Amino acid sequence: MKYNFDKIENRKNTSCLKWDMMEDIFGCDDLIPMWVADMDFPSPQPIVEAIKKRADHPFFGYTQAPQTLIDTVVKRVKDKFKWNIKPEWIVFTPGVISGLNIALNSLTHPGDRVILQEPCYHQFFPVVKNSGCQIVTNPLKLVDKKYEIDFENLKEIFSYKQGHNPYYKPIKTIIFCNPNNPTGRVWRKEEIEKLGNIAIENNLTVIADEIHSEILLNGNKHTTFGSVSKEFEENCIVCISPSKTFNLSGIHISPIIIPNEKIRREFIATMNSMVPSPDIFAYTALEAGFKYGDDWLKQVLEYLEENLNLLKNYFKDIKGMTPIIPEGTYLVWIDCKGLEMDNETLNEFLKKEAKVCLEDGSLFGTNGKGFMRMNIAMPRPLLEEALKRIKNAVYTLNL
């Protein structure tokens, strides 16, 4: 089936966060929304048809993941990431953020420390704080318009031992985001190995948020953390989801892959006291997407690459704003420090002068100040209009 991603669909008045909440969040509703991370493309038709078919069976009682879905997830992970997982390793949760909350509450105690690599997805901060843990920052380094992991800093974090300090609290885990949100970096296998070895040497369980793992651009390849080695496999919790892959953010489900039996048992015990299982339609959508969604996904990725090319061409003429070209995700991290505005002023400028709303970079950590995150998963005519508005607004600054 050929999909028309150029078509601009009206999503207003559909309880759509991205479009219907602009008035509440930004103070006006006449903006082009480029903030929250969902696509302005319809989801794959096989998923739509599968949900309709399930709705025709008028029984919506307690449910569980069917064996066909479990087998489908096993096959998907093997086909996409060359990782042979076992069916019993899979735990279904109502979303990656739920999975992260459960993971932290099962791995840590209040006061323990958790490593985040800023800039990082802004929901990581409340997840850590709500678990009663403390945040330790391992900032990413921007080198020649590309982000790198600061391994020396990561090693230094572990150089401060307890000694005679009775208030010392251990570091229990790191939330490792790959592909990284908001920077779009797809971490290479050698980078993952280096990070994982440091983590394992220091008795950490790595929580890998791989929600964007199938949104890969321009030939970049994803290495899932657990596939690196048996030792990595035994020391990780890997979170995947169809939500970004197939534009299903409003349908909450995430297969969490936990090879280590002890870690998995504790995860399930914590989950049973915290959140419900996914619902009937979530199971249905996940299975349909993983089985029949690849034709749609291939077309989307090709379309996103052309959107990215359009953006790169526009930003050649936009002074003071430099995009960090993503290797994965449909999010573009933009260095706006050349405009010499603080983030509050920058938000107001883009809102009032360009009539667009982006995600404030300061939400993603201290080193997100002076940056904005832009979502380019939209029909190309709409993206071009937004880029024109930004270009014209910046031009008035006479930089």
Side-chain angles (χ1 to χ4, degrees):
M1 176 180 176
K2 178 65 176 176
Y3 292 89
N4 178 16
F5 298 122
D6 279 334
K7 184 179 180 182
I8 301 173
E9 302 279 359
N10 182 11
R11 298 184 67 190
K12 287 190 174 183
N13 301 314
T14 62
S15 300
C16 169
L17 177 66
K18 187 176 186 178
W19 287 86
D20 289 335
M21 288 297 290
M22 279 193 292
E23 179 71 41
D24 292 340
I25 296 172
F26 296 96
C28 49
D29 64 356
D30 59 345
L31 312 175
I32 296 178
M34 309 176 82
W35 59 298
V36 68
D38 72 12
M39 306 185 197
D40 281 316
F41 307 135
S43 294
Q45 193 60 30
I47 296 178
V48 176
E49 294 302 323
I51 291 172
K52 287 180 178 178
K53 182 178 179 181
R54 180 59 188 84
D56 284 339
H57 180 64
F59 296 90
F60 309 114
Y62 294 115
T63 189
Q64 62 181 358
Q67 187 61 46
T68 54
L69 172 57
I70 296 169
D71 294 341
T72 297
V73 174
V74 171
K75 183 178 186 302
R76 185 78 176 185
V77 172
K78 180 180 180 180
D79 291 348
K80 291 288 181 175
F81 309 124
K82 308 299 185 284
W83 187 21
N84 293 307
I85 66 172
K86 296 180 180 179
E88 60 267 26
W89 296 356
I90 303 167
V91 182
F92 292 98
T93 72
V96 166
I97 293 301
S98 294
L100 296 181
N101 274 289
I102 298 163
L104 282 182
N105 278 277
S106 64
L107 293 171
T108 68
H109 296 95
D112 288 344
R113 297 187 292 163
V114 176
I115 297 173
L116 298 182
Q117 297 178 299
E118 299 180 16
C120 61
Y121 180 44
H122 52 76
Q123 289 297 324
F124 291 173
F125 299 110
V127 166
V128 175
K129 291 176 181 176
N130 290 342
S131 70
C133 292
Q134 305 172 60
I135 293 171
V136 179
T137 301
N138 171 226
L140 301 178
K141 299 189 299 183
L142 183 57
V143 181
D144 296 328
K145 300 180 183 179
K146 187 173 182 178
Y147 277 89
E148 298 178 357
I149 297 171
D150 190 338
F151 291 107
E152 291 307 311
N153 173 265
L154 186 58
K155 291 175 183 177
E156 288 173 6
I157 287 172
F158 295 103
S159 67
Y160 302 101
K161 300 299 183 183
Q162 179 173 359
H164 298 290
N165 180 0
Y167 301 106
Y168 175 88
K169 291 291 185 178
I171 300 173
K172 289 292 186 67
T173 185
I174 178 172
I175 299 179
F176 179 55
C177 189
N178 184 28
N180 180 265
N181 175 9
T183 70
R185 257 312 302 271
V186 176
W187 303 112
R188 304 296 181 260
K189 184 177 180 180
E190 55 270 23
E191 294 172 304
I192 298 170
E193 287 176 335
K194 199 169 182 179
L195 178 140
N197 285 330
I198 294 171
I200 291 169
E201 286 168 9
N202 290 279
N203 300 313
L204 268 65
T205 300
V206 175
I207 303 173
D209 175 359
E210 301 186 6
I211 193 171
H212 292 274
S213 57
E214 297 199 45
I215 306 296
L216 304 170
L217 305 172
N218 296 312
N220 283 283
K221 304 296 183 183
H222 176 78
T223 300
T224 189
F225 187 90
S227 70
V228 172
S229 71
K230 287 296 180 183
E231 189 175 24
F232 278 40
E233 194 174 78
E234 283 294 305
N235 289 277
C236 71
I237 295 174
V238 175
C239 309
I240 63 173
S241 175
S243 62
K244 305 304 178 188
T245 307
F246 300 117
N247 200 28
L248 299 173
S249 294
I251 296 178
H252 301 293
I253 188 167
S254 173
I256 309 296
I257 304 167
I258 313 174
N260 184 297
E261 183 180 357
K262 180 177 182 294
I263 295 173
R264 184 171 65 254
R265 188 170 59 247
E266 292 175 351
F267 182 97
I268 292 171
T270 304
M271 176 180 170
N272 289 339
S273 66
M274 285 184 66
V275 299
S277 299
D279 67 36
I280 290 170
F281 296 105
Y283 289 131
T284 300
L286 173 59
E287 185 169 356
F290 276 7
K291 280 185 175 178
Y292 311 117
D294 278 342
D295 178 48
W296 180 93
L297 180 59
K298 180 176 182 292
Q299 294 179 53
V300 157
L301 294 177
E302 291 170 351
Y303 195 88
L304 288 173
E305 288 175 359
E306 288 303 313
N307 275 5
L308 186 58
N309 289 335
L310 178 68
L311 177 140
K312 288 189 285 188
N313 286 331
Y314 262 88
F315 272 95
K316 290 176 183 177
D317 300 321
I318 302 178
K319 293 182 180 180
M321 300 178 76
T322 303
I324 309 302
I325 303 305
E327 299 168 336
T329 80
Y330 45 77
L331 306 167
V332 182
W333 188 237
I334 302 174
D335 185 343
C336 305
K337 290 192 290 291
L339 298 180
E340 298 184 349
M341 301 179 187
D342 60 40
N343 276 67
E344 184 177 354
T345 305
L346 183 57
N347 277 300
E348 286 299 305
F349 171 75
L350 291 170
K351 181 176 71 173
K352 293 182 178 179
E353 303 302 327
K355 290 293 183 180
V356 298
C357 51
L358 280 62
E359 196 81 86
D360 187 336
S362 64
L363 296 173
F364 299 85
T366 302
N367 57 352
K369 292 179 180 178
F371 288 80
M372 300 294 285
R373 192 189 74 172
M374 176 187 289
N375 179 353
I376 63 168
M378 59 175 58
R380 198 162 300 132
L382 192 61
L383 175 63
E384 185 159 24
E385 173 61 25
L387 294 171
K388 284 178 181 177
R389 292 183 184 189
I390 294 170
K391 179 180 177 180
N392 292 335
V394 173
Y395 181 77
T396 64
L397 297 174
N398 295 315
L399 296 175

